[in-house]
Amino acid sequence: MIIFDRARKKFGNVDAVKDFSLTIEDKEILGLLGPNGAGKTTLMLMMGTVYRPTGGTITVDGLDVVKQPNEVRKEIGIAFQDPRVDGILGAFDVLNWHLKMTTGLTKEQREKRVEEVLRSLDLWEARNKRTWLMSGGMRKKVEDAKVLCQRPKIAVFDEPTAFLDVPSRLLVWDMIRKLRDGGSTIIVATNMMDEAERLSDRVAIVNLGKLVAAGTPEQLKSTQKGGEVLEVAVESSHGLTADILTQFSEVHNVHVDDNKVVVYLNSGRLLLPKIVETLTEQGFKIGSVHLKEVTLEDVFLTYTGQRLE
Amino acid sequence: MSNLRLVPLIVERDIRILFSDTFLIGIMFANFGIDLFVTAATFGRLIPQSVLHENYFLYIAPGSNFVTAMVAAFQSGRDVWREKYIKDLASYLLTLPAPRRVLALSRIAGGVARSVIATFPGTLVISYLYGILLDPRVFAAFLIVGLFSLGIVGLSISLSAFASSIEVFVTVRSAIQLYLSFLSTLFYRTDVFPSFLVPIVVSNPMTWAVEAFRSLPHAQGLIGPISVLVIPSLVFAALGMASYLWYARL
């Protein structure tokens, strides 16, 4: 179990993480969802004993990251956002050395495991190619492979599928799930909604260094009143205020972007013509209308007031 | 104690990286070749044996080897700097299950190993020229090179911990290399220097290293030539470790 208890981190005058409290259960996949600069990487590096928390405590299986950093490091494996591999070495050497450092496996066991993971990630043929000569996607897979080979008790993936094509993303997700099934606790930091939603058992939304919401994707979506979202594209939202639409009792919340109005409501099918009529009467030119169920993206928008690009 | 098993693994990584860069190895050997065979051969003709009272080729040979050791040792500091500021590998290394002091010790040991490997052919050639190749004193020759490298690796890692840019690192390194090379007895005997420079020359670790090496053919025991380098090398290595621990602190 990992416990963040009012963890804080300041860099100079900047609060990268503010009073972050969260408990991560054993053998779950926790998606840490937030935009770039939200503090996700800082949280992971504090847990990984690279940064010292400015305040609060972080414990990993009862071990304090400040007081027992050496013991904590034995539990953790981190796949970084930007691949941290010796560019001059090949993928096989990088992974083999990583396993030497982090596991007590024999030479045969190490080589077998590295081969298994490299073959699964379709990197076996390129195993001796210097990693700095690899494409961004290949390098990213080598970075993920470090933790997939290591099979640590706590596996951390920082944006594991950045730069990857769709088949590779699905493959990496599948391998991360298998790692969880094998007994690892997984933390996946991501700014991709579908990754958080499809991969995570629970999602923690982080914004500006703070935890703003946490729960299963379904729980988070159920916090949205109404359960439906109406997206109305308008030519210009200048002068469009929420109260124009909150006059309807079925409308629970309204977000107005530059050229888009997002309405959280129920009975959407019945209300849609009334909303279109109201907006048209007010002089707003409507481009398109889209009625859908609540997604994690809508939850994120509600809690943070911004969209993840 | 179990953490110490990680030391050879980290050293292995440093050596593997060294051997992956064949260009760098080529440059270091070329450096040695130019220093020893070209410089000494030409200087040898400029400075007749009747003036120097000894063969200049043999006089300069250990120094050329130490220059190669110095270049290789500074490479370790440069690598540590690059890991932090360019490749951001430092955060990866710091999350590995190695206590910081083991990591620091390993980086120093890795630097020394790389330096001794880079000078291995040179040390053998000079030991042959000095007539000690098939003598136990050949081990002392390697130990002197290793001790000298230990000090320079410590110095270079200290520099890497505090240099805010590669320009600062390169400039300070060049200044140290100039001091070590030209304010020592690498090229000339002490009596050639102006008297006000002599205290600087005699306190130069390069002077101690080359003089230790030059004394090997006449040495009665092995302890004497080696002992002079032990304390300064350990002091610089300790400085390097302390700097790395500061740089890698949680």
Side-chain angles (χ1 to χ4, degrees):
Chain A
M1 186 186 285
I2 303 159
I3 303 172
F4 290 87
D5 184 15
R6 291 190 295 169
R8 277 183 283 127
K9 182 65 190 173
K10 271 186 107 153
F11 293 106
N13 292 325
V14 179
D15 287 307
V17 173
K18 299 174 208 166
D19 290 329
F20 186 94
S21 295
L22 179 71
T23 299
I24 303 168
E25 301 293 339
D26 287 341
K27 299 176 192 173
E28 75 166 329
I29 300 181
L30 179 95
L32 214 50
L33 182 65
N36 292 331
K40 305 185 299 288
T41 302
T42 304
L43 279 165
M44 288 191 282
L45 290 180
M46 284 198 292
M47 192 183 74
T49 78
V50 176
Y51 293 155
R52 188 191 193 95
T54 312
T57 58
I58 303 171
T59 55
V60 175
D61 282 344
L63 301 164
D64 188 296
V65 297
V66 175
K67 293 175 186 157
Q68 297 149 292
N70 296 333
E71 284 71 26
V72 169
R73 281 196 290 272
K74 288 175 186 164
E75 308 263 310
I76 294 179
I78 301 181
F80 290 88
Q81 183 180 347
D82 299 314
R84 310 279 161 89
V85 291
D86 287 307
I88 209 155
L89 301 179
F92 189 92
D93 285 340
V94 166
L95 298 179
N96 191 31
W97 187 78
H98 182 77
L99 288 193
K100 274 187 193 175
M101 287 297 295
T102 56
T103 68
L105 297 176
T106 63
K107 186 173 182 281
E108 290 72 26
Q109 288 170 327
R110 273 198 319 267
E111 290 179 355
K112 189 170 171 240
R113 199 183 278 187
V114 169
E115 181 176 347
E116 212 173 89
V117 171
L118 284 178
R119 282 192 188 282
S120 300
L121 291 170
D122 203 19
L123 285 173
W124 181 246
E125 297 305 319
R127 63 189 178 280
N128 294 321
K129 187 176 183 178
R130 289 182 175 186
T131 50
W132 69 271
L133 292 172
M134 289 180 166
S135 67
M138 286 170 88
R139 262 206 306 274
K140 185 67 192 172
K141 284 201 274 188
V142 174
E143 181 67 23
D144 289 338
K146 285 199 294 199
V147 175
L148 293 168
C149 283
Q150 184 188 345
R151 299 180 194 166
K153 198 165 177 200
I154 292 155
V156 180
F157 293 89
D158 197 350
E159 300 191 12
T161 59
F163 315 115
L164 299 191
D165 55 25
V166 174
S168 299
R169 289 181 73 192
L170 297 175
L171 188 64
V172 169
W173 288 349
D174 191 44
M175 293 179 79
I176 290 174
R177 283 191 201 101
K178 281 183 185 154
L179 196 61
R180 185 267 318 269
D181 296 342
S184 297
T185 302
I186 316 272
I187 301 173
V188 177
T190 183
N191 56 15
M192 289 187 259
M193 289 293 172
D194 61 332
E195 183 159 81
E197 188 159 3
R198 293 172 66 175
L199 186 60
S200 313
D201 299 318
R202 279 198 309 145
V203 173
I205 296 176
V206 190
N207 193 40
L208 301 171
K210 293 182 85 167
L211 177 70
V212 291
T216 65
E218 292 315 313
Q219 282 171 343
L220 289 173
K221 282 190 262 183
S222 70
T223 61
Q224 301 298 296
K225 288 178 185 166
E228 286 178 294
V229 181
L230 180 67
E231 290 180 351
V232 185
V234 290
E235 199 165 79
S236 168
S237 62
H238 184 69
L240 203 162
T241 53
D243 56 357
I244 296 172
L245 299 175
T246 50
Q247 58 172 304
F248 300 108
S249 59
E250 295 91 340
V251 172
H252 299 285
N253 203 355
V254 176
H255 276 286
V256 181
D257 284 349
D258 287 345
N259 296 312
K260 197 176 189 181
V261 186
V262 182
V263 187
Y264 298 89
L265 73 175
N266 50 20
S267 308
R269 283 183 191 285
L270 294 172
L271 199 60
L272 194 150
K274 289 184 192 170
I275 288 176
V276 171
E277 190 183 332
T278 306
L279 290 174
T280 310
E281 275 174 7
Q282 298 277 337
F284 297 103
K285 204 170 178 183
I286 294 173
S288 66
V289 176
H290 180 51
L291 183 66
K292 61 181 179 99
E293 289 189 355
V294 167
T295 64
L296 211 50
E297 192 168 357
D298 302 311
V299 178
F300 189 85
L301 180 65
T302 302
Y303 280 110
T304 66
Q306 58 179 300
R307 289 183 180 279
L308 268 179
E309 297 301 333
Chain B
M1 279 302 284
S2 66
N3 287 322
L4 288 177
R5 78 170 177 87
L6 299 172
V7 175
L9 298 180
I10 299 168
V11 172
E12 177 205 316
R13 171 183 170 270
D14 279 349
I15 291 172
R16 202 179 278 268
I17 289 170
L18 173 75
F19 277 99
S20 300
D21 197 341
T22 44
F23 178 74
L24 180 69
I25 294 185
I27 290 287
M28 282 193 296
F29 288 155
N31 187 41
F32 168 73
I34 291 165
D35 271 1
L36 182 60
F37 294 104
V38 179
T39 317
T42 51
F43 280 24
R45 295 184 68 184
L46 284 171
I47 307 167
Q49 201 162 334
S50 57
V51 174
L52 194 70
H53 307 298
E54 58 190 306
N55 185 325
Y56 193 65
F57 187 75
L58 293 181
Y59 185 80
I60 201 177
S64 296
N65 203 32
F66 286 118
V67 168
T68 305
M70 184 169 68
V71 171
F74 267 108
Q75 195 65 25
S76 300
R78 200 195 73 138
D79 282 357
V80 168
W81 191 91
R82 282 171 60 85
E83 278 169 12
K84 185 173 184 183
Y85 292 102
I86 296 182
K87 295 193 275 182
D88 204 9
L89 266 171
S91 47
Y92 164 59
L93 295 174
L94 297 179
T95 57
L96 292 172
R100 298 289 199 264
R101 63 183 185 283
V102 170
L103 207 51
L105 178 69
S106 308
R107 304 315 299 272
I108 302 270
V112 174
R114 284 162 50 139
S115 192
V116 170
I117 290 169
T119 51
F120 190 82
T123 309
L124 282 183
V125 168
I126 299 160
S127 297
Y128 170 74
L129 294 172
Y130 273 49
I132 57 168
L133 185 61
L134 302 175
D135 188 284
R137 283 172 292 183
V138 74
F139 296 110
F142 279 102
L143 201 53
I144 290 169
V145 174
L147 277 170
F148 176 76
S149 303
L150 176 68
I152 305 301
V153 168
L155 204 57
S156 76
I157 288 181
S158 297
L159 177 56
S160 74
F162 296 105
S164 55
S165 70
I166 196 68
E167 288 78 15
V168 170
F169 181 85
V170 169
T171 306
V172 177
R173 181 188 64 183
S174 300
I176 294 171
Q177 286 182 343
L178 279 174
Y179 161 67
L180 288 172
S181 300
F182 294 104
L183 286 173
S184 69
T185 57
L186 192 158
F187 295 111
Y188 333 101
R189 288 198 311 242
T190 320
D191 54 16
V192 175
F193 289 92
S195 57
F196 70 94
L197 282 178
V198 170
I200 298 172
V201 172
V202 296
S203 60
N204 188 327
M206 179 66 92
T207 297
W208 301 342
V210 291
E211 294 305 332
F213 206 107
R214 284 170 187 153
S215 72
L216 281 177
H218 327 290
Q220 297 303 312
L222 301 179
I223 304 297
I226 294 167
S227 60
V228 69
L229 272 173
V230 171
I231 290 175
S233 293
L234 287 179
V235 167
F236 283 130
L239 181 68
M241 268 195 76
S243 304
Y244 192 87
L245 287 172
W246 175 83
Y247 144 100
R249 71 196 181 282
L250 175 60

